[in-house]
Amino acid sequence: MSGNTDKNSSAKSIGILGGTFDPIHCGHLHIAQAVQQQLHCQEIRFIPCKNPLLGKKAIANEQQRLAMLQRALIPYPHFIIDEREIKRSTPSYTIDTLLSLRREFHNIPLALILGSDNLAYLNQWHEWTALIQTAHLVIVPRAGCTVTYNDIIQDLIKKHQTHDPALLLKQSAGLLFVAAVKPLAISSTAIREEIAHGSMPTGLLPSSVLDYIQEQKLYQ
């Protein structure tokens, strides 16, 4: 899947949603739709990682995860698959991805979408202080997740938070915005476990993705 972007326009922003997508599910799509509407994103880039640096190895291989993304995003013309991390031979550090996007899109606002649980340990990420210098941070809540922020993250929030999404369109980076998203209680882990136990998680992910999982006998 591909898309064309007017790189000279700063009227809208580019949303960035990274993850393993093992598999992609309705929760991912729900977040992307909500952020796109609130920030007037010209596109949301789904960026699958080669393998998560801080988690377990992906079960589906790279091509299978890409295939599931391709099927899931067909109904969404403004959702784009970005393969730069899959193709990268070095570790998939988020800052490297953001710097690559910044070189490509110049001064267009970039909005990195993060779960509130990821924000809680953001100071453990590689070159984490450079993230907000390169993109806005858009925080979305996680269902059933109560998050406590340490002093470092609280200081980051205090310095950079805005409650006005329009401000994210007026500068290319540097703000933190908590999106109004009602989280769905769906997780890739729970979907994989349900399939492993012989159940089909109908309604938790697009039917085209579920069909592909069955064809490939994934997660069984």
Side-chain angles (χ1 to χ4, degrees):
M1 180 175 290
S2 62
N4 295 321
T5 302
D6 180 359
K7 298 180 185 179
N8 296 317
S9 171
S10 58
K12 295 186 178 181
S13 59
I14 294 174
I16 302 156
L17 184 58
T20 311
F21 303 117
D22 189 25
I24 183 171
H25 54 67
C26 294
H28 297 128
L29 298 170
H30 173 69
I31 288 169
Q33 286 179 291
V35 171
Q36 184 191 17
Q37 291 168 2
Q38 289 176 51
L39 302 186
H40 305 287
C41 297
Q42 61 192 38
E43 63 189 38
I44 301 286
R45 290 187 165 245
F46 286 70
I47 306 183
C49 62
K50 185 178 289 288
N51 262 311
L53 293 171
L54 297 176
K56 296 181 180 179
K57 185 177 180 180
I59 295 174
N61 64 38
E62 296 164 14
Q63 293 308 311
Q64 289 170 328
R65 290 186 287 127
L66 283 173
M68 288 188 282
L69 275 168
Q70 288 165 355
R71 284 158 175 75
L73 302 192
I74 287 173
Y76 306 96
H78 300 295
F79 293 176
I80 293 171
I81 299 171
D82 188 318
E83 299 183 26
R84 71 187 67 213
E85 290 195 4
I86 289 285
K87 293 179 177 178
R88 189 180 296 153
S89 58
T90 54
S92 295
Y93 291 122
T94 300
I95 186 57
D96 293 336
T97 298
L98 292 181
L99 290 171
S100 173
L101 288 162
R102 178 57 66 209
R103 288 191 293 269
E104 184 175 348
F105 293 104
H106 308 294
N107 293 321
I108 291 180
L110 300 178
L112 177 64
I113 304 166
L114 293 175
S116 54
D117 52 337
N118 287 324
L119 178 63
Y121 61 86
L122 193 70
N123 57 305
Q124 298 178 25
W125 290 27
H126 180 67
E127 296 186 19
W128 75 277
T129 56
L131 296 173
I132 202 162
Q133 298 169 14
T134 315
H136 300 303
L137 303 184
V138 177
I139 311 305
V140 295
R142 287 291 175 88
C145 182
T146 301
V147 180
T148 301
Y149 297 123
N150 61 38
D151 291 344
I152 296 173
I153 299 303
Q154 287 184 27
D155 187 55
L156 175 77
I157 295 170
K158 186 182 300 183
K159 287 181 178 178
H160 297 279
Q161 184 172 14
T162 179
H163 299 284
D164 183 0
L167 293 180
L168 277 70
L169 301 176
K170 297 181 179 180
Q171 61 190 71
S172 62
L175 298 175
L176 184 149
F177 176 72
V178 179
V181 180
K182 184 177 181 180
L184 301 181
I186 305 174
S187 75
S188 296
T189 300
I191 288 172
R192 294 194 303 269
E193 290 176 351
E194 193 166 333
I195 294 171
H197 286 89
S199 300
M200 285 296 105
T202 306
L204 301 185
L205 66 175
S207 58
S208 58
V209 175
L210 186 55
D211 289 344
Y212 180 82
I213 289 171
Q214 290 178 294
E215 291 168 9
Q216 297 284 308
K217 296 181 170 52
L218 279 170
Y219 313 126
Q220 296 180 10

